[in-house]
């Protein structure tokens, strides 16, 4: 059985036979004694195990930066660009195995996050209510999206929304900061010899994709929600800006789309991190930048799978260009 078949079969089995809710909650109370499960803004039955325990995917608390040596030109990175601060690039070859980097850029505490199952990459300000939080990976999922936790209160946070959904901080929201996906070569052209996160000191198969063929599947892994509307494939990539989503298929006719006060630009040259066994050899899915159509200023956005946009924004607006 190849990795693609194994992934699909395992996902279907787990979705068909979730753990009984009472048993699951007893397990949670033992593993998470500091988490206040009486405070929840979501249906706890929507939360399932992703197959790894708390911190089974180890978040990073330190990051070193230098040049792009050892990375192929088309490898994808998450670029963080904050006003008045140096740009930084976080390669997906590392985020794939750690999912969260607790970092600091010129005194600003940030969390760089990536959920492979949703292809959701977001950067957050870690300051909430006067305290600076540190985040870890809970091992749990909701609608196939990573649930983070903060180490201070062990509240649970939905990565896709940046909202605390369980625990003491329930209802709090993290501020999303500007970032985008691009090739390491494009980043390096603007920032020669600096700003690229270096390989962590962990024994991981960096550069390998543990989800081989994932973005070519018909159904997402560990997802039990509705498929997206308009016959859009669940694992099709869409550009999300707020509550709007543009399918990347629209860029087949034009590399630039100007709508809703925005200018969206697509360019080739970025490998998919969720295709080939080697991230560097992934098929070209391109990169997106979004700008204010009037001022030209960068606009916060992300490129995610269609099913995730629909799951968390069921009333979201689909920009189909009809």
């Amino acid at each position: 059985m190849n990795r693609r078949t194994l992934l699909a079969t395992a996902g279907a089995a787990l979705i068909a036979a979730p753990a009984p809710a009472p048993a699951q909650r007893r397990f949670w109370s033992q593993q998470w004694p500091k988490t206040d499960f009486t405070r929840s803004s979501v249906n706890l039955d929507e939360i399932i195990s992703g197959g790894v325990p708390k911190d089974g995917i180890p978040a990073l608390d330190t990051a070193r930066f230098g040049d792009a040596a050892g990375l192929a030109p088309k490898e994808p990175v998450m670029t963080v660009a904050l006003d008045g601060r140096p740009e930084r690039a976080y390669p997906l070859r590392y985020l794939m195995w750690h999912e969260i980097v607790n970092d600091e850029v010129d005194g600003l505490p940030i969390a760089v996050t990536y959920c492979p199952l949703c292809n959701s990459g977001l950067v957050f300000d870690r300051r909430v209510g006067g305290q600076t939080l540190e985040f870890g990976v809970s091992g749990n999922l909701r609608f196939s999206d990573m649930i983070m936790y903060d180490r201070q209160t062990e509240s649970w946070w939905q990565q896709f929304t940046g909202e605390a959904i369980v625990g003491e901080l329930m209802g709090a929201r993290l501020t999303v900061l500007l970032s985008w996906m691009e090739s390491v070569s494009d980043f390096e052209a603007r920032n020669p010899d600096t700003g690229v996160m270096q390989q962590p000191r962990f024994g991981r198969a960096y550069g390998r994709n543990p989800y081989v063929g994932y973005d070519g599947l018909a159904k997402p892994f560990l997802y039990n929600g509705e498929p997206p509307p308009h016959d859009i494939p669940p694992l099709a990539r869409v550009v999300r800006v707020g509550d709007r989503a543009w399918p990347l298929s629209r860029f087949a006719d034009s590399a630039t789309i100007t709508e809703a006060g925005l200018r969206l630009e697509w360019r080739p040259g970025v490998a998919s991190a969720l295709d080939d066994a080697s991230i560097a050899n992934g098929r070209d899915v391109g990169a997106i930048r979004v700008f204010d159509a009037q001022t030209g200023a960068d606009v916060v956005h992300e490129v995610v799978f269609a099913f995730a946009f629909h799951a968390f924004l069921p009333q979201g607006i689909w920009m189909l260009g009809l």
Side-chain angles (χ1 to χ4, degrees):
M1 181 181 292
N2 63 31
R3 179 67 70 94
R4 179 178 297 195
T5 303
L6 179 63
L7 198 65
T9 303
L14 284 167
I15 292 169
Q24 180 68 57
R25 293 181 192 181
R26 284 195 296 271
F27 173 75
W28 286 345
S29 65
Q30 295 170 1
Q31 190 177 29
W32 300 88
K34 292 176 59 178
T35 305
D36 183 357
F37 290 102
T38 67
R39 294 177 55 80
S40 173
S41 61
V42 301
N43 181 351
L44 292 177
D45 291 340
E46 295 173 345
I47 299 174
I48 63 173
S49 171
V52 294
K54 173 184 178 184
D55 296 324
I57 297 173
L60 297 174
D61 297 325
T62 59
R64 299 172 296 114
F65 295 87
D67 62 27
L71 276 66
K74 291 186 177 181
E75 283 203 40
V77 298
M78 278 185 66
T79 293
V80 180
L82 308 174
D83 288 343
R85 293 175 170 89
E87 289 188 359
R88 286 188 176 176
Y90 299 79
L92 262 60
R93 62 160 49 211
Y94 308 138
L95 289 171
M96 185 76 72
W97 297 94
H98 296 283
E99 300 192 0
I100 299 173
V101 181
N102 294 294
D103 203 1
E104 188 173 296
V105 182
D106 279 4
L108 177 64
I110 65 171
V112 181
T113 72
Y114 177 65
C115 176
L117 298 183
C118 293
N119 195 50
S120 176
L122 291 166
V123 177
F124 301 106
D125 186 330
R126 291 193 281 119
R127 298 171 299 182
V128 175
Q131 62 178 329
T132 298
L133 303 177
E134 297 174 350
F135 291 95
V137 181
S138 73
N140 295 320
L141 303 169
R142 177 168 169 261
F143 299 139
S144 202
D145 181 58
M146 167 177 55
I147 294 178
M148 313 184 298
Y149 77 94
D150 70 78
R151 295 170 183 159
Q152 283 66 34
T153 72
E154 295 203 350
S155 297
W156 291 5
W157 299 75
Q158 192 76 62
Q159 184 261 357
F160 190 92
T161 64
E163 179 183 0
I165 57 174
V166 177
E168 178 183 328
L169 297 180
M170 184 201 74
R173 279 188 178 271
L174 299 169
T175 299
V176 182
L177 303 175
L178 180 65
S179 67
W180 60 81
M181 295 282 187
E182 64 180 337
S183 69
V184 69
S185 61
D186 281 347
F187 177 88
E188 193 175 28
R190 297 191 312 274
N191 304 275
D193 302 324
T194 187
V196 179
M197 179 182 166
Q198 303 295 285
Q199 180 168 307
R201 296 187 174 99
F202 277 79
R204 297 293 187 272
Y206 297 121
R208 306 296 294 177
N209 166 25
Y211 307 94
V212 178
Y214 179 63
D215 61 0
L217 296 178
K219 295 181 180 180
F221 187 49
L222 292 175
Y223 178 66
N224 54 6
E226 297 179 349
H230 311 298
D231 294 322
I232 297 173
L235 288 150
R237 286 174 168 84
V238 302
V239 187
R240 174 204 173 194
V241 185
D243 63 354
R244 299 176 188 267
W246 284 259
L248 257 63
S249 58
R250 287 195 57 192
F251 294 92
D253 297 325
S254 175
T256 301
I257 296 173
T258 303
E259 286 178 346
L262 302 171
R263 186 176 79 256
L264 298 88
E265 299 180 357
W266 178 90
R267 63 182 295 174
V270 182
S272 166
L274 297 165
D275 176 34
D276 193 81
S278 169
I279 291 175
N281 294 334
R283 73 183 187 282
D284 192 339
V285 293
I288 293 285
R289 292 286 295 274
V290 180
F291 306 95
D292 184 288
Q294 291 188 335
T295 67
D298 280 287
V299 173
V300 171
H301 66 281
E302 62 171 333
V303 177
V304 299
F305 291 138
F307 81 87
F309 177 82
H310 181 60
F312 291 103
L313 293 165
Q315 303 305 315
I317 301 168
W318 291 89
M319 306 296 289
L320 304 178
L322 301 177

